Amino acid sequence: MAKTVQVFILILVLHVLESALANKFSSLSLADDCSLLFQFKVSVSINKSASIYDSRACPKVASWNLNGSDGAGNCCLWDGVECRLGHAIGLDLSSSFLYGPISSNNSLFNLIHLRTLNLANNDFRSSQIPSGIGRLSQLINLNLSNSFFSGEVPKQISHLGNLVSLDLTENYKLTLHGSDFQNLVQNTSETLRELGVFKTGYPKIRISEIFRIPDFTIRICIRNFGYPKFRIRIRIVASWNLNGSDGAGNCCLWDGVECRLGHVIGLDLSSSFLYGPISSNNSMFNLIHLRTLNPANNDFRSSQIPSGIGRLSQLINLNPSNSFFSGEVPKQISHLRNLVSLDLTENYKLTLQGSDFQNLVQNTSCFMEPQWIRWCGNCCLWDGVECRLGHVIGLDLSSSFLYDPISSNNSLFNLIHLRTLNLANNDFRSSQIPS
């Protein structure tokens, strides 16, 4: 019995000693972090003009103090600082009136346990993002938005292999080179889920060598469609790679690619930062088994829809909407006899000649979309047509891409039972209303 009590007391003493030593080392580690934070405070300037867009802004670092009563010397109690297990792991200095450049040798970048760093809505005077950021290898969340950073994003940002969220929005003069972006995507391919790049100027990232389809570029600047801030989920062709482990070289596993029976049958490239014209000789148009192609919401720089589209004769669904295509829709689009859905909306400078449209309608006799095209059998079932007692009495062709003058001899005017006719929101090329 006495022996058991002795063993118990020994275990208890060892546990107490272990806790005391852990606390001692933890205190030392925390003291180091607190010292680094205080050095950062001393190194930065405060200017109330630096965060004028946030009414709740306050100079958080101004209250930091190593010497004080009531635990004021404990940096875990400082405004904007989060600690865990004796280390500073989070730093939220958003809207803190921080002003002026930060050196890459700043003590901030020695806080190697940081997992969250938020420097948003400050004014770093159009300086570069410090390369020292790459030393914070444990970062999960990094927010440098609206902080007047400019120049090239440092290569070292690609070292942050644990990033889940990166926000670079609202830094108008910030650019990111293609190779650095490629490294960032590859190094964070298992973690990165949110990338904020809205209004970062107009940097372009060429990734032809990754995409394997020439003429494509990737762009981290998205046009302003009126949203105060825009974040995208990472789903871009930059992650495509023919050489890789775990099946990475199998294109059927690539994001946006659908395969069946050993062929690529679907390609969803919507909202994928594609930028610049596509050549009609592009290898994409040799994917002859494609049934679905969606390049919507990209920026093809007011180029024409490539005539090579006509070679994709198996296409059922084609959506190049809101992609800054312009000029005439190529005649070859009428070769797509299997089309069920075609969306050309939101391409404001795109035109379709009447004869080409007629061929398209004839060749796709059971066309289902856009809404007003359904030319199969009984005209009373056609979109926009209303019948009663065996006669057409209503015709709604509003917003139907109608283009060019209508002759007074047009068969439309022989529909003598019509009671409603709506031709609104079309373009009759400044012609007269037909007599």
Side-chain angles (χ1 to χ4, degrees), residues 371-424:
Q371 292 183 352
W372 54 280
I373 306 177
R374 185 180 295 172
W375 307 90
C376 296
N378 181 359
C379 67
C380 294
L381 301 178
W382 296 351
D383 277 320
V385 179
E386 180 186 358
C387 293
R388 189 174 299 166
L389 299 177
H391 292 291
V392 175
I393 64 165
L395 194 55
D396 180 4
L397 296 178
S398 59
S399 303
S400 293
F401 306 113
L402 302 184
Y403 185 84
D404 277 342
I406 302 177
S407 164
S408 290
N409 297 322
N410 192 288
S411 60
L412 173 70
F413 304 118
N414 294 325
L415 294 168
I416 58 175
H417 298 279
L418 266 187
R419 305 185 67 182
T420 300
L421 176 61
N422 187 351
L423 300 176

Side-chain angles (χ1 to χ4, degrees), residues 286-423:
N286 294 326
L287 294 168
I288 58 174
H289 299 279
L290 267 188
R291 305 189 71 188
T292 298
L293 176 60
N294 185 356
N297 196 26
N298 291 288
D299 185 351
F300 297 112
R301 304 300 295 153
S302 298
S303 61
Q304 282 189 293
I305 295 175
S307 59
I309 195 76
R311 300 204 298 273
L312 301 179
S313 58
Q314 300 302 309
L315 275 184
I316 292 175
N317 302 300
L318 175 59
N319 183 0
S321 64
N322 192 28
S323 288
F324 296 93
F325 282 117
S326 68
E328 291 184 11
V329 175
K331 299 177 187 298
Q332 289 81 355
I333 206 165
S334 65
H335 299 171
L336 306 179
R337 297 173 179 270
N338 294 304
L339 273 181
V340 171
S341 173
L342 170 63
D343 191 346
L344 301 174
T345 59
E346 305 292 333
N347 291 290
Y348 297 100
K349 297 180 180 179
L350 199 61
T351 61
L352 181 60
Q353 293 296 327
S355 57
D356 298 334
F357 181 78
Q358 180 180 346
N359 291 334
L360 176 63
V361 169
Q362 289 175 347
N363 292 343
T364 57
S365 59
C366 282
F367 214 113
M368 302 303 292
E369 296 281 356
Q371 292 183 352
W372 54 280
I373 306 177
R374 185 180 295 172
W375 307 90
C376 296
N378 181 359
C379 67
C380 294
L381 301 178
W382 296 351
D383 277 320
V385 179
E386 180 186 358
C387 293
R388 189 174 299 166
L389 299 177
H391 292 291
V392 175
I393 64 165
L395 194 55
D396 180 4
L397 296 178
S398 59
S399 303
S400 293
F401 306 113
L402 302 184
Y403 185 84
D404 277 342
I406 302 177
S407 164
S408 290
N409 297 322
N410 192 288
S411 60
L412 173 70
F413 304 118
N414 294 325
L415 294 168
I416 58 175
H417 298 279
L418 266 187
R419 305 185 67 182
T420 300
L421 176 61
N422 187 351
L423 300 176

Side-chain angles (χ1 to χ4, degrees), residues 16-32 86:
V16 170
L17 284 173
E18 182 184 18
S19 298
L21 286 171
N23 288 334
K24 177 72 172 174
F25 287 119
S26 176
S27 298
L28 289 173
S29 299
L30 183 59
D32 290 340

Side-chain angles (χ1 to χ4, degrees), residues 151-172:
E152 293 181 10
V153 175
K155 301 178 186 295
Q156 289 79 358
I157 207 164
S158 65
H159 299 172
L160 305 179
N162 295 302
L163 273 183
V164 171
S165 174
L166 172 62
D167 193 345
L168 301 174
T169 59
E170 308 288 341
N171 290 291
Y172 298 92

